[in-house]
Amino acid sequence: MRRRVKITGIGPVTPAGIGRDAFFRGINEPVSRIRAIKRFDPGAGPFVGAEVHDFDLGEFAPDENPRRLSRHTQFSLVAAMLAMRDAGLAPADVRGLTPLVVTGTSIMDFEKIGRGMETVMKKGVRYAASQGSIMYEASVANVAGKIAQWLDTPARMLTMQTSCCSGLDAVGQAFEQIAAGQAEFAIAGGSECPLSYYPLLGFNAAELSPATDENPERLCRPFDLWRTTGVLGEGAAMFVLEPASSPRPALAWITGYGFANDPDSQTALGLTDALRIALANAQRRIEEVQFINAWGTGHRFIDANETYALTRLFGARLNEIPVSSIKGAIGTALGASGPIQAASTALSLHHGILPPTVNWETPDPGCPLNLSPQPRRIQAEIAVINAHGLSGSNSALVLERA
């Protein structure tokens, strides 16, 4: 028999706030944290993004060297520490449980890789040996590995790399392991830091990031008629997941998970199947969904296709279901976006407040969704979370109020 799985700890590290309470306050403010990024060569073009400011690894892990650890690994470690603290746990409390650590990150640390390459190019190949640690520190596997090391107990580790769905898939895979009785305790989520020179260049070239830095706080406009493209963000969110039998109270229940590819390269239309599978996994009817935390990057084409995918599943009832996208506030943190959405959704179910869709001002007739640029007080019982990634990946998670 499948077991019920609950979230007992939430650890967000985001531009809207670090820690559960700060994040919940911040994500419910109708404010964009997207700003111009000026630290790179201006000749490469304008860059914008939502950064995690005032982040200090030493505040949480004073023994760690921030110059050695990749920023996405720093985020994941602190997010795991915050999730454990939120659950009232210390590493010693999970010894003997063989904890499961599942994380999702879509790209390696290009800033660290780029610096290493530039050092060799400037000083010669004799300096390549000094860059050997980059192979370990910049890897996406080190995100989970550092958490497992911090737990200081035998653990099972799994790293997901499914583009922007990576983090939500990590949560879904951990959920499945606990539901099937193959794990008693898990830390799961996603971490991402794409706001470095080479990823920003690539996303700009692919028109997945704006070609201007004027009025940066207004550039990401999910589902708005005047939207153009998405904006990158950074951050992490980790969760403590446990079966119903654990003594800790539930903040929310994870009841379903699904994933699916896009059919015939039709961007984001695979969300219909991912949601259908997740709801079937949760043994819930489509009519029972009361809130949708949408992918909603603010990209003209992707937002329209996500809306169509939702319409195919929910039909005429879609305009009755409250929908939010948090990307206008904090951008798209690639593989970390899904877990950050899940953190927001779990807290929405817990407190009865849905986050605003920042910068949604002019409704698009092609995206007839029940959106609001202000937070809404609505007590929902069942919610779904969408994630879509390049190469046609799609994932969905069902959360229920505890």
Side-chain angles (χ1 to χ4, degrees):
M1 292 183 62
R2 287 175 63 84
R3 301 187 297 181
R4 296 195 75 197
V5 179
K6 58 187 176 181
I7 296 172
T8 59
I10 300 174
V13 176
T14 79
I18 298 172
R20 187 176 104 178
D21 293 340
F23 168 69
F24 183 68
R25 288 193 303 270
I27 206 64
N28 285 295
E29 295 172 350
V31 174
S32 173
R33 272 78 179 184
I34 296 167
R35 301 290 183 267
I37 298 175
K38 300 290 190 181
R39 62 180 178 272
F40 302 118
D41 178 6
F47 298 126
V48 297
E51 298 180 273
V52 180
H53 293 290
D54 302 321
F55 176 80
D56 181 6
L57 178 64
E59 179 183 344
F60 301 91
D63 295 334
E64 296 291 345
N65 182 356
R67 293 178 61 84
R68 182 175 177 84
L69 289 183
S70 293
R71 189 166 170 86
H72 58 205
T73 303
Q74 294 183 41
F75 285 163
S76 69
L77 178 61
V78 170
M81 290 176 168
L82 288 168
M84 288 281 285
R85 183 187 301 174
D86 192 41
L89 293 167
D93 297 321
V94 301
R95 287 177 187 148
L97 292 179
T98 313
L100 178 66
V101 179
V102 191
T103 65
T105 303
S106 67
I107 61 173
M108 298 175 71
D109 182 355
F110 277 92
E111 184 168 2
K112 189 177 287 292
I113 294 169
R115 286 201 307 266
M117 291 173 61
E118 290 164 5
T119 297
V120 173
M121 288 166 61
K122 289 177 181 178
K123 298 184 177 182
V125 294
R126 65 185 181 279
Y127 285 89
S130 66
Q131 308 301 316
S133 65
I134 292 175
M135 297 301 296
Y136 301 97
E137 300 298 338
S139 167
V140 297
N142 199 45
V143 173
K146 194 63 185 179
I147 296 172
Q149 181 184 356
W150 171 69
L151 289 173
D152 192 27
T153 189
R156 292 188 297 150
M157 188 183 83
L158 184 64
T159 299
M160 306 299 297
Q161 212 288 10
T162 48
S163 188
C164 291
C165 296
S166 299
L168 202 64
D169 283 335
V171 177
Q173 292 297 326
F175 153 72
E176 291 287 1
Q177 290 284 303
I178 293 176
Q182 296 184 35
E184 296 298 321
F185 182 91
I187 294 177
S191 183
E192 202 82 66
C193 182
L195 301 181
S196 55
Y197 186 61
Y198 296 107
L200 285 169
L201 274 177
F203 276 83
N204 276 19
E207 298 183 350
L208 295 172
S209 186
T212 178
D213 60 3
E214 294 184 19
N215 299 315
E217 68 280 355
R218 295 178 59 79
L219 288 175
C220 188
R221 309 177 66 85
F223 302 111
D224 188 86
L225 180 63
W226 304 112
R227 70 191 183 275
T228 55
T229 190
V231 175
L232 291 179
E234 64 177 2
M238 294 291 165
F239 303 91
V240 171
L241 305 184
E242 301 184 75
S245 58
S246 91
R248 282 161 287 282
L251 296 171
W253 296 94
I254 302 177
T255 57
Y257 162 64
F259 61 93
N261 293 346
D262 288 334
D264 300 323
S265 301
Q266 298 178 68
T267 303
L269 295 192
L271 279 169
T272 304
D273 288 337
L275 283 163
R276 185 179 288 116
I277 292 167
L279 287 167
N281 188 228
Q283 300 184 30
R284 289 295 184 180
R285 299 188 307 276
I286 293 169
E287 295 78 13
E288 294 180 280
V289 175
Q290 297 169 310
F291 173 52
I292 300 170
N293 195 308
W295 185 239
T297 63
H299 187 282
R300 175 159 294 279
F301 185 59
I302 296 173
D303 282 10
N305 277 16
E306 180 179 10
T307 302
Y308 180 58
L310 291 171
T311 302
R312 291 200 304 176
L313 185 66
F314 293 102
R317 182 175 170 266
L318 180 60
N319 59 14
E320 302 172 4
I321 305 172
V323 178
S324 294
S325 167
I326 61 175
K327 304 301 195 325
I330 60 173
T332 302
L334 305 184
S337 283
I340 294 172
Q341 290 172 240
S344 173
T345 303
L347 294 172
S348 289
L349 295 175
H350 187 71
H351 294 284
I353 301 175
L354 309 185
T357 301
V358 173
N359 291 330
W360 182 76
E361 297 174 354
T362 306
D364 180 358
C367 297
L369 301 174
N370 185 347
L371 299 155
S372 172
Q374 299 292 328
R376 291 177 278 185
R377 288 192 172 274
I378 298 172
Q379 187 60 73
E381 299 290 329
I382 302 172
V384 295
I385 298 136
N386 294 346
H388 168 74
L390 298 178
S391 302
S393 59
N394 301 276
S395 298
L397 202 68
V398 181
L399 294 190
E400 300 191 22
R401 183 171 178 256

